[in-house]
Amino acid sequence: MAVAIDTSLETKAINSIRTLSIDAVQQANSGHPGMPLGAAPMAYVLWTEFLRHNPRDPKWPNRDRFVLSGGHGSMLLYSLLYLTGYDLPLNELKRFRQLGSMTPGHPELGRAPGVEVTTGPLGQGFGNGVGMAIAEAFLAARYNRPDHEIINHSTYGIVSDGDIMEGVAAESASLAGHLGLGKLIYLYDQNEITLAGTSGISFTEDVPKRFEALGWHTRTIDGQDTDAVRRALDEARAEHARPSLICSQTIIGFGSPKANTFGVHGSPLGPEAVKATKEALDWPLTPPFYVPDDALALFRGAEEAGDAAQHEWQSRFEAYLAAYPTEAAELIRALAGELPEGWDADLPKWEAGGKPLATRKASGETIAAFFPKIPTFIGGSADLNPSTNTGMKGAGDFQRPDGNPDPSIQQGLLGGPWGYDGRNIHFGVREHAMGSAVNGMAAHGGVIPFGATFLVFSDYCRPAIRLAALSHLKSIFVFTHDSIAVGEDGPTHEPVEQVMSLLTIPNLTLVRPADANETVDAWRIALTNSGATAVILSRQDLAILDRTGATGTALQGGYILAGGEGDPDVVLIGTGSEVELAVNARGLLAEHGVQARVVSLPSWEVFDTQKAAYKRRVLGPAGTPRVSVEAGTTLGWCRYTGARGAHVGIDTFGASGPGAEVLAHFGFTKERVAATALRLLGKDDLARQIDQTDGGDTAGEEAEGDEGHS
Amino acid sequence: MAVAIDTSLETKAINSIRTLSIDAVQQANSGHPGMPLGAAPMAYVLWTEFLRHNPRDPKWPNRDRFVLSGGHGSMLLYSLLYLTGYDLPLNELKRFRQLGSMTPGHPELGRAPGVEVTTGPLGQGFGNGVGMAIAEAFLAARYNRPDHEIINHSTYGIVSDGDIMEGVAAESASLAGHLGLGKLIYLYDQNEITLAGTSGISFTEDVPKRFEALGWHTRTIDGQDTDAVRRALDEARAEHARPSLICSQTIIGFGSPKANTFGVHGSPLGPEAVKATKEALDWPLTPPFYVPDDALALFRGAEEAGDAAQHEWQSRFEAYLAAYPTEAAELIRALAGELPEGWDADLPKWEAGGKPLATRKASGETIAAFFPKIPTFIGGSADLNPSTNTGMKGAGDFQRPDGNPDPSIQQGLLGGPWGYDGRNIHFGVREHAMGSAVNGMAAHGGVIPFGATFLVFSDYCRPAIRLAALSHLKSIFVFTHDSIAVGEDGPTHEPVEQVMSLLTIPNLTLVRPADANETVDAWRIALTNSGATAVILSRQDLAILDRTGATGTALQGGYILAGGEGDPDVVLIGTGSEVELAVNARGLLAEHGVQARVVSLPSWEVFDTQKAAYKRRVLGPAGTPRVSVEAGTTLGWCRYTGARGAHVGIDTFGASGPGAEVLAHFGFTKERVAATALRLLGKDDLARQIDQTDGGDTAGEEAEGDEGHS
């Protein structure tokens, strides 16, 4: 009986996923067996019947994307990758969670082929999928032509109870519903068990109703019923105007003695329970990692199918290339992650001493100069375009093409198209979803995504920034209003610790330009960086600095702006808005016969990649007295100033008042900088004289106080 | 005609709020006039007819709480505080957003009486209100007695479109709905205008339906219709089992020429528009800050009413005191923020060399020893109780008393009551809502709240941690699984930068105890600290350290654990799990004739409050060679090691593998620590010898590399 055979084969295939997963967890004696046991049926249906992918070319641009948002269920994904023929040897499953293996505890982008994004921190994968669907919709709208559908794929995900509880997922779901991302389909593994117990102890909302309120299509099914999964996936694929959430009721730890308990969520079953589970699944107890040949053959069908699908696409792409060579060339370059030639031909320059300009405004002018030349540069802000200066005029609004549910605002504010071909993304007051979507867009490829908000609110998307850095994603974060100079909005809106706390994140390149011209270099760094970049910009106008004495540029991360001749008495190291302050302090010191050098250090990460000799040349020989000048926490600055160094910074929260008054109140005056340098040089009398001319407060002193320890 | 007069007086009162607000914004030439203009009618009804408060005693414990979550509308609150008679002089309204005024750009706890919490970062106030309602429900359940209802107040809030879009509000709303917090009533100022435009460009969900799905009572009204506001508030107060969201449709900038535009959201109207607005409101153009006597008298009625209400409560409290002296005394002490005598009588001690114990487990035993003595210590984890060891066995579960919507889990996991008198709060996988609720509980007073999760996920609640620090709230955050020793879960779950990035937050006291005994001290610090504390704990077992050579304790923030005699050749400064490593390295160095001192530095903030002489004594004289040993980023450590210092740390992300292997891989071995010290002392040959016995990687080298600059 064919049906019977199919059914038994299907069951064997599903149980292959289950037993591979529990064997690997048991061998590692660490991991999460519960989710793979419960989610195996829906994963089997999705991966063998719906997911369009090619295990032989994991980078096929038009593949469907799959995100395992509950990354703790990583063995489910690793099992699927091995079974469907990705270059992930069975031996690597046996090395699950071992140092240097391709199978770390949570999926990591770049470790095993087929892993689309790094997941584990709950809710992030949910948001990444939204970003992938945005990238797909944009590329399809921009590059497809009548009879030439080159970009057309779905984004699938398996999300967990924990994902659904996270705010980043809530924000992302609201955004996806607003945008009507119909090709986004999530299977919600609704096992109602979390690490601490049944989710009901903290989570009793009506999830489908919530998602319907957000504009999603939903369906609730029995996740063990493969036919129900098929029907639900068919239905979701037929729904083009709304993202889909398939609430798939599963049994965590299915088949194991610990089924339906939180004990099976995050701990190995133990040899006894593994045995009992295999018995319950009518599975041979030995060998471990056993997969029946016919089950393996069923999964490996993905290779042939994937090759065929990709070849069919390739031939269509060649027709497209013939019919639309320009668009095709543009798309090929974008997918390769290359910038168009001449992208930087018209970047602005400003004359020294010209009209002072906020770096956020200089950034706006820089973006305006390159965005027409980089057609796949897309992004926006968390509801702050007018303040972050990140709107691209004429590039249109990324919105659902079938008309906005709110008819009152059919007009795009920025001009240009209103649809998926719009390049200005309105993320809403959803910083975390923005960060997570930007990462998803970067992981999808073909676009260069950015997100913008105030620097102080980088805290709201910090988990996404961390994952961008960890995953080496080309995500660009634009953070404006970068110091206490924000002024009247007060300490809740004045970043003090954010620059230094972002500097603690490995792999993240931070650039805080000192003026309009350095801002252009900041964008050069961001756009040519293969990884994640944070560009930190001022709200207030800054002088256009005189570069006649400069021995380098911001592109080197740090350079001598003034006073390069010989060995100076003191080196003033500034970033961003405080470089101008250092320049003015240098003049004041000169009046007192002290030769100061001013170093602009917009990017520690870039500077640290320079040769040691260059760094010594810039910072001066060891033991050179150095003063850091940055309107932020002084913690960490001793890295460049050394023990004999001093700091002008702020180690308290800010205050509400006019920006200039706040800066003076906290000691950001040329007098205080000069006095700090003079004290460092032992010229306390001179320092006192100068201090008397200064209305500043004691921030500088406090900073110096730090040095008492060394 | 009384009605007509009432109506005109009502209108005058409402317009007094409006004109005070726009005059103050205009005088500051900075601020947000739109929200006060639109929200004035509902604010008028709430503050004059519903809010039970006493302007003459802003700290009356049983007052209703009011949270202005959209803190950018601060002038609305300042106007109400002045008008109803709080000690906020009109002159301070004229100093809006000026340095040192009582009226900063966003409301700051402690600046003006009647400001219950610091708001501005969107969504936080929403979450704070949930925490306040939790605190009220707990105190009422624990201390009220039949015929003695001592604690019984509502928590009101005005929330904005931006608040509603934030993930922290989504998490908080789901939690509040689950808990059935019926005394929580939010007026949603639904003006559909945000900073960047109409909210419809990014926000088109069905908000009432979403909140109904979360278990809220909702009602949509015309926010300009005061009778509709009255009816909705009456209805909300009559709803006891569900929190209420009153979607109040308002017109941002009502009465001004810029009404219903985003231009009126965040910029002063300008003199012309102020004039036009006053004309439209039929208001005298001069003087500015004009309030009609009868309108002022109407508002000032709050003083009499407040006094009367408080006196009535006071007399009831005295009856309670007579009938239940023990409970009353306990409540009085709790409201005063004092710890019960003898709270620390039974804190555990561990013998040196005893069975190694993870500090998270030592923390669990410490909590078990004091929680029965501190009846108002309440809190829980973001779904990680079994891992964070923060469950209080027998203290019950904080849950809605009318039965959990999920009948399958009526049993509390931890024993004890299941209701509002339970002390274990199950926050769900909602770290941000947890942080925000903990802050709200702390701001409410009467309870000592804590929240717990893994250290790496402190990033998820960082904005709440920042506000706790900024507001000097006694919020306790417990962060476990504190380093790459987490192991198998891999880099997504291994904190590397978190300790240092938390150290950059002003006012936050961080404690990372080295062993079980230091963990007890960490809790002493947290419970006696008037501000916010983060306790950082290990997942893995740590040796119980030998204190025979110790010259102090963790209560001093830092102390000499071993090698206090004379001036050592080198000082090894460790925190947490790395102190044990330093001790072992000291032994190794002794074998090679090098005298090393081991300093345990669990809390930088506490150590920095010690006298300079003590700090010098501990760290050794200036120029002493020092090595920091911490399994985290080395950035910032030069603060204590100085220029001649070296670091054993990790400046990259971690890796997935067994914890011990991961530690060794990144160089956290006694050999690497000893070798780093020897290199620092110029004994490179010895260092090489020792290195050869070590399987470690290069983290230590990298860290030393940092020193190249100084």
Side-chain angles (χ1 to χ4, degrees):
Chain A
M1 282 166 52
V3 177
I5 291 161
D6 289 349
T7 314
S8 78
L9 180 56
E10 176 173 290
T11 306
K12 264 198 266 184
I14 292 168
N15 287 338
S16 300
I17 298 171
R18 289 176 166 142
T19 53
L20 279 178
S21 300
I22 63 176
D23 281 341
V25 169
Q26 195 54 45
Q27 174 136 335
N29 194 30
S30 170
H32 300 70
M35 197 262 237
L37 286 170
M42 59 175 154
Y44 158 80
V45 173
L46 175 61
W47 276 65
T48 58
E49 300 173 31
F50 288 85
L51 193 71
R52 280 170 58 252
H53 63 127
N54 186 3
R56 291 176 181 155
D57 183 358
K59 293 295 174 195
W60 172 32
N62 196 43
R63 69 193 181 276
D64 287 339
R65 304 305 198 266
F66 174 79
V67 174
L68 182 72
S69 189
H72 55 274
S74 55
M75 266 315 302
L76 176 73
L77 177 56
Y78 298 144
S79 299
L80 290 163
L81 291 172
Y82 161 68
L83 289 167
T84 54
Y86 282 80
D87 184 14
L88 181 66
L90 184 61
N91 192 49
E92 287 297 319
L93 270 60
K94 297 177 178 172
R95 295 182 60 225
F96 180 51
R97 294 184 155 232
Q98 301 310 299
L99 210 47
S101 77
M102 297 166 74
T103 52
H106 293 82
E108 292 175 34
L109 181 60
R111 277 308 186 90
V115 172
E116 299 281 2
V117 69
T118 300
T119 53
L122 290 171
Q124 297 297 332
F126 191 115
N128 297 152
V130 172
M132 291 173 172
I134 289 172
E136 191 274 344
F138 170 77
L139 292 171
R142 177 168 185 94
Y143 293 106
N144 289 348
R145 290 293 180 273
D147 310 323
H148 293 277
E149 202 166 64
I150 298 308
I151 302 294
N152 177 18
H153 70 77
S154 302
T155 299
Y156 295 100
I158 293 182
V159 303
S160 66
D161 290 304
D163 289 306
I164 296 286
M165 275 192 256
E166 289 283 6
V168 61
E171 293 178 6
S172 302
S174 178
L175 178 61
H178 168 78
L179 293 173
L181 299 171
K183 292 184 194 169
L184 181 65
I185 300 172
Y186 284 159
L187 287 156
Y188 167 27
D189 178 31
Q190 196 165 19
N191 60 46
E192 297 183 341
I193 300 287
T194 61
L195 195 147
T198 58
S199 59
I201 61 171
S202 59
F203 186 56
T204 46
E205 65 181 59
D206 181 339
V207 173
K209 184 175 177 181
R210 194 228 300 184
F211 275 74
E212 282 152 23
L214 301 181
W216 286 56
H217 157 75
T218 75
R219 169 70 65 238
T220 298
I221 62 166
D222 171 1
Q224 312 298 325
D225 176 348
T226 51
D227 285 332
V229 174
R230 278 183 194 95
R231 284 193 302 272
L233 283 169
D234 280 326
E235 193 180 70
R237 288 183 50 78
E239 167 62 63
H240 295 302
R242 294 178 296 168
S244 294
L245 186 76
I246 300 170
C247 301
S248 181
Q249 293 171 336
T250 61
I251 297 165
I252 192 167
F254 178 89
S256 83
K258 300 179 181 174
N260 258 330
T261 69
F262 68 87
V264 77
H265 170 89
S267 310
L269 294 174
E272 285 317 302
V274 167
K275 182 165 175 291
T277 306
K278 288 182 177 176
E279 282 163 354
L281 298 176
D282 187 21
W283 204 255
L285 301 182
T286 57
F289 300 93
Y290 166 73
V291 178
D293 294 342
D294 52 356
L296 186 61
L298 168 63
F299 281 110
R300 290 287 162 96
E303 296 178 286
E304 294 294 328
D307 267 345
Q310 183 167 356
H311 286 132
E312 184 272 338
W313 177 83
Q314 193 64 45
S315 58
R316 281 193 290 111
F317 191 88
E318 271 139 32
Y320 174 70
L321 183 59
Y324 299 94
T326 317
E327 290 80 354
E330 191 179 290
L331 177 57
I332 289 167
R333 186 172 49 228
L335 291 170
E338 291 162 12
L339 292 168
E341 276 171 41
W343 70 271
D344 58 354
D346 301 329
L347 296 182
K349 279 199 183 60
W350 287 269
E351 285 305 315
K355 189 168 178 301
L357 188 68
T359 50
R360 63 177 167 133
K361 292 179 186 162
S363 169
E365 294 187 33
T366 306
I367 292 170
F370 70 69
F371 87 75
K373 301 194 161 81
I374 310 177
T376 53
F377 178 80
I378 65 172
S381 73
D383 189 54
L384 293 166
N385 270 349
S387 299
T388 55
N389 300 80
T390 44
M392 297 180 277
K393 292 214 168 28
D397 299 84
F398 184 86
Q399 297 282 2
R400 58 192 305 157
D402 58 351
N404 193 300
D406 179 345
S408 72
I409 45 110
Q410 272 298 1
Q411 278 310 324
L413 291 165
L414 294 148
W418 179 279
Y420 287 152
D421 50 345
R423 291 168 59 182
N424 290 290
I425 303 173
H426 302 280
F427 291 106
V429 187
R430 305 184 185 105
E431 297 83 4
H432 205 169
M434 175 177 73
S436 191
V438 164
N439 290 347
M441 286 186 264
H444 180 281
V447 296
I448 301 176
F450 76 93
T453 185
F454 292 164
L455 177 57
V456 78
F457 299 133
S458 62
D459 286 356
Y460 272 71
C461 48
R462 189 173 170 91
I465 299 169
R466 183 179 207 256
L467 277 171
L470 173 57
S471 314
H472 302 279
L473 290 171
K474 190 186 180 81
S475 299
I476 300 175
F477 302 100
V478 178
F479 297 128
T480 66
H481 295 59
D482 72 348
S483 78
I484 55 173
V486 162
E488 287 90 347
D489 276 345
T492 55
H493 286 54
E494 289 170 349
V496 167
E497 73 278 26
Q498 277 69 20
V499 164
M500 197 58 65
S501 69
L502 288 171
L503 284 172
T504 63
I505 301 176
N507 306 351
L508 177 68
T509 299
L510 182 143
V511 194
R512 186 173 183 239
D515 71 352
N517 289 309
E518 278 196 7
T519 304
V520 174
D521 287 342
W523 273 107
R524 283 185 185 277
I525 290 169
L527 289 166
T528 56
N529 182 5
S530 62
T533 309
V535 179
I536 312 295
L537 303 168
S538 77
R539 167 178 184 253
Q540 76 275 25
D541 287 332
L542 304 180
I544 313 299
L545 299 170
D546 178 356
R547 294 194 146 23
T548 45
T551 66
T553 74
L555 294 175
Q556 290 150 291
Y559 64 97
I560 299 171
L561 177 66
E565 326 69 36
D567 285 339
D569 301 321
V570 62
V571 177
L572 308 177
I573 312 173
T575 80
S577 41
E578 287 67 62
V579 173
E580 177 182 353
L581 191 59
V583 169
N584 297 337
R586 176 174 183 261
L588 191 56
L589 287 165
E591 292 171 21
H592 295 83
V594 174
Q595 297 308 315
R597 169 183 297 173
V598 173
V599 168
S600 178
L601 196 63
S603 178
W604 290 20
E605 295 81 3
V606 175
F607 183 70
D608 289 350
T609 64
Q610 304 300 319
K611 291 204 169 61
Y614 176 79
K615 288 186 278 190
R616 253 195 310 280
R617 166 85 185 87
V618 171
L619 297 172
T624 303
R626 304 184 193 118
V627 180
S628 69
V629 191
E630 184 172 71
T633 176
T634 62
L635 179 75
W637 263 109
C638 45
R639 168 177 180 143
Y640 294 106
T641 58
R644 289 206 47 216
H647 311 295
V648 176
I650 172 168
D651 292 307
T652 66
F653 287 107
S656 174
E661 290 178 34
V662 172
L663 283 170
H665 173 73
F666 287 102
F668 294 94
T669 62
K670 64 180 180 180
E671 292 78 12
R672 172 54 46 85
V673 175
T676 303
L678 290 168
R679 284 202 183 79
L680 184 60
L681 298 171
K683 303 173 185 290
D684 294 40
D685 299 353
L686 259 181
R688 257 189 300 282
Q689 275 180 41
I690 290 177
D691 263 352
Q692 276 143 22
T693 67
D694 167 33
D697 201 337
T698 63
E701 311 283 10
E702 285 165 12
E704 285 178 272
D706 295 348
E707 297 306 308
H709 304 316
S710 17
Chain B
M1 284 165 50
V3 177
I5 289 158
D6 288 350
T7 314
S8 78
L9 180 55
E10 176 173 291
T11 306
K12 264 199 266 185
I14 291 168
N15 288 338
S16 299
I17 299 171
R18 289 177 167 142
T19 52
L20 278 179
S21 300
I22 62 175
D23 281 341
V25 169
Q26 194 55 46
Q27 175 135 334
N29 194 28
S30 172
H32 301 68
M35 198 261 236
L37 287 171
M42 60 176 156
Y44 158 81
V45 173
L46 176 61
W47 276 66
T48 59
E49 300 173 30
F50 289 85
L51 192 71
R52 280 169 61 256
H53 64 126
N54 186 2
R56 291 178 182 154
D57 184 358
K59 294 291 173 199
W60 172 31
N62 197 44
R63 68 191 182 278
D64 287 339
R65 303 304 198 267
F66 174 78
V67 174
L68 182 71
S69 190
H72 55 274
S74 56
M75 265 317 303
L76 176 73
L77 178 55
Y78 298 144
S79 299
L80 291 162
L81 292 172
Y82 160 69
L83 289 167
T84 54
Y86 283 81
D87 184 13
L88 181 66
L90 184 60
N91 193 48
E92 287 296 321
L93 271 59
K94 297 177 179 172
R95 296 182 59 224
F96 180 52
R97 295 185 153 230
Q98 301 311 299
L99 210 49
S101 77
M102 297 167 73
T103 51
H106 294 80
E108 292 175 33
L109 181 60
R111 279 306 186 92
V115 172
E116 299 281 1
V117 68
T118 300
T119 53
L122 291 171
Q124 297 296 332
F126 190 114
N128 297 153
V130 172
M132 291 173 172
I134 289 172
E136 192 273 345
F138 171 77
L139 292 171
R142 178 167 184 94
Y143 292 106
N144 289 350
R145 291 292 179 274
D147 309 324
H148 293 278
E149 202 167 63
I150 298 308
I151 302 294
N152 177 17
H153 69 77
S154 301
T155 298
Y156 295 100
I158 293 182
V159 303
S160 66
D161 290 303
D163 289 306
I164 296 285
M165 275 192 257
E166 289 285 4
V168 61
E171 292 178 8
S172 302
S174 178
L175 179 62
H178 168 78
L179 293 173
L181 299 171
K183 292 183 194 170
L184 181 66
I185 300 173
Y186 284 159
L187 286 156
Y188 168 26
D189 177 31
Q190 196 164 17
N191 60 45
E192 299 185 339
I193 299 288
T194 61
L195 195 148
T198 58
S199 60
I201 61 171
S202 59
F203 186 55
T204 46
E205 64 182 60
D206 182 338
V207 173
K209 184 176 178 181
R210 193 227 304 183
F211 276 74
E212 281 152 25
L214 301 180
W216 286 56
H217 157 72
T218 73
R219 169 71 64 236
T220 299
I221 62 167
D222 171 1
Q224 312 300 324
D225 177 346
T226 52
D227 285 330
V229 174
R230 278 183 195 93
R231 284 194 301 275
L233 283 169
D234 280 325
E235 192 180 73
R237 289 183 50 78
E239 167 64 61
H240 296 303
R242 294 178 297 171
S244 294
L245 186 77
I246 301 171
C247 302
S248 181
Q249 292 172 335
T250 60
I251 296 165
I252 192 168
F254 178 90
S256 82
K258 299 179 181 172
N260 258 331
T261 69
F262 68 87
V264 79
H265 170 90
S267 310
L269 293 175
E272 284 317 301
V274 168
K275 183 164 175 290
T277 306
K278 289 182 177 178
E279 282 165 352
L281 298 176
D282 188 21
W283 203 256
L285 300 182
T286 56
F289 299 95
Y290 165 73
V291 179
D293 294 342
D294 51 356
L296 185 61
L298 168 64
F299 281 110
R300 289 285 159 96
E303 297 179 284
E304 294 293 327
D307 268 346
Q310 182 166 359
H311 286 130
E312 184 274 337
W313 177 83
Q314 195 62 44
S315 59
R316 283 194 287 113
F317 192 88
E318 270 140 31
Y320 175 68
L321 182 60
Y324 299 93
T326 319
E327 291 79 354
E330 192 178 290
L331 177 57
I332 289 167
R333 189 172 46 228
L335 291 171
E338 292 162 10
L339 293 167
E341 279 172 37
W343 70 270
D344 57 354
D346 301 330
L347 296 182
K349 279 199 182 59
W350 287 269
E351 286 303 316
K355 188 170 177 301
L357 188 67
T359 50
R360 64 177 167 131
K361 292 178 184 162
S363 169
E365 293 187 33
T366 306
I367 293 170
F370 70 71
F371 87 74
K373 301 194 160 78
I374 308 177
T376 53
F377 178 81
I378 65 173
S381 72
D383 189 54
L384 293 166
N385 269 347
S387 300
T388 56
N389 300 80
T390 45
M392 297 180 277
K393 290 208 170 32
D397 299 82
F398 184 86
Q399 296 281 2
R400 58 192 307 157
D402 58 350
N404 193 301
D406 178 344
S408 72
I409 46 110
Q410 271 299 1
Q411 279 309 325
L413 292 165
L414 294 149
W418 179 279
Y420 288 151
D421 49 345
R423 292 167 58 183
N424 291 289
I425 303 173
H426 302 281
F427 291 105
V429 188
R430 304 182 185 106
E431 298 82 6
H432 205 169
M434 175 177 73
S436 192
V438 164
N439 290 347
M441 287 186 264
H444 180 280
V447 297
I448 301 175
F450 76 93
T453 185
F454 291 165
L455 177 57
V456 77
F457 299 132
S458 61
D459 286 356
Y460 272 70
C461 48
R462 189 173 170 91
I465 299 169
R466 183 179 207 256
L467 277 171
L470 174 58
S471 314
H472 301 281
L473 290 172
K474 192 186 178 80
S475 299
I476 301 176
F477 302 99
V478 179
F479 297 128
T480 66
H481 296 58
D482 72 348
S483 77
I484 55 173
V486 161
E488 288 90 347
D489 275 344
T492 55
H493 285 54
E494 290 170 348
V496 167
E497 73 279 24
Q498 277 70 18
V499 164
M500 198 56 65
S501 69
L502 287 171
L503 285 172
T504 63
I505 300 177
N507 306 349
L508 177 68
T509 298
L510 183 144
V511 194
R512 186 173 182 238
D515 71 352
N517 289 308
E518 279 196 9
T519 304
V520 175
D521 288 342
W523 273 107
R524 284 185 184 276
I525 290 170
L527 289 166
T528 56
N529 182 5
S530 63
T533 309
V535 179
I536 312 295
L537 303 167
S538 78
R539 166 178 184 255
Q540 75 276 24
D541 287 333
L542 305 180
I544 314 298
L545 299 169
D546 178 355
R547 290 193 154 17
T548 46
T551 66
T553 74
L555 295 174
Q556 290 149 291
Y559 64 97
I560 298 172
L561 178 66
E565 326 69 39
D567 286 339
D569 300 323
V570 63
V571 177
L572 308 177
I573 311 173
T575 80
S577 41
E578 287 67 63
V579 173
E580 178 181 354
L581 191 58
V583 168
N584 296 338
R586 177 174 182 260
L588 192 55
L589 287 165
E591 294 171 20
H592 295 83
V594 173
Q595 297 307 315
R597 169 183 297 173
V598 174
V599 169
S600 178
L601 196 64
S603 179
W604 289 20
E605 294 82 2
V606 175
F607 183 69
D608 289 350
T609 64
Q610 305 299 320
K611 291 204 168 61
Y614 176 80
K615 288 186 278 191
R616 254 194 311 278
R617 167 83 184 89
V618 171
L619 298 173
T624 303
R626 305 186 191 118
V627 180
S628 69
V629 192
E630 183 172 72
T633 176
T634 62
L635 180 75
W637 261 109
C638 45
R639 168 177 181 142
Y640 294 107
T641 58
R644 287 205 51 214
H647 310 296
V648 176
I650 172 169
D651 293 306
T652 66
F653 286 108
S656 174
E661 291 178 34
V662 173
L663 283 170
H665 174 73
F666 286 102
F668 293 95
T669 63
K670 63 179 180 180
E671 291 79 10
R672 172 54 45 83
V673 175
T676 304
L678 290 167
R679 285 203 182 78
L680 184 60
L681 298 172
K683 302 172 184 291
D684 294 41
D685 299 354
L686 261 179
R688 257 189 301 283
Q689 275 180 40
I690 291 179
D691 262 352
Q692 276 145 23
T693 68
D694 166 32
D697 201 337
T698 62
E701 313 282 11
E702 285 165 14
E704 284 178 275
D706 294 346
E707 297 306 307
H709 304 315
S710 17

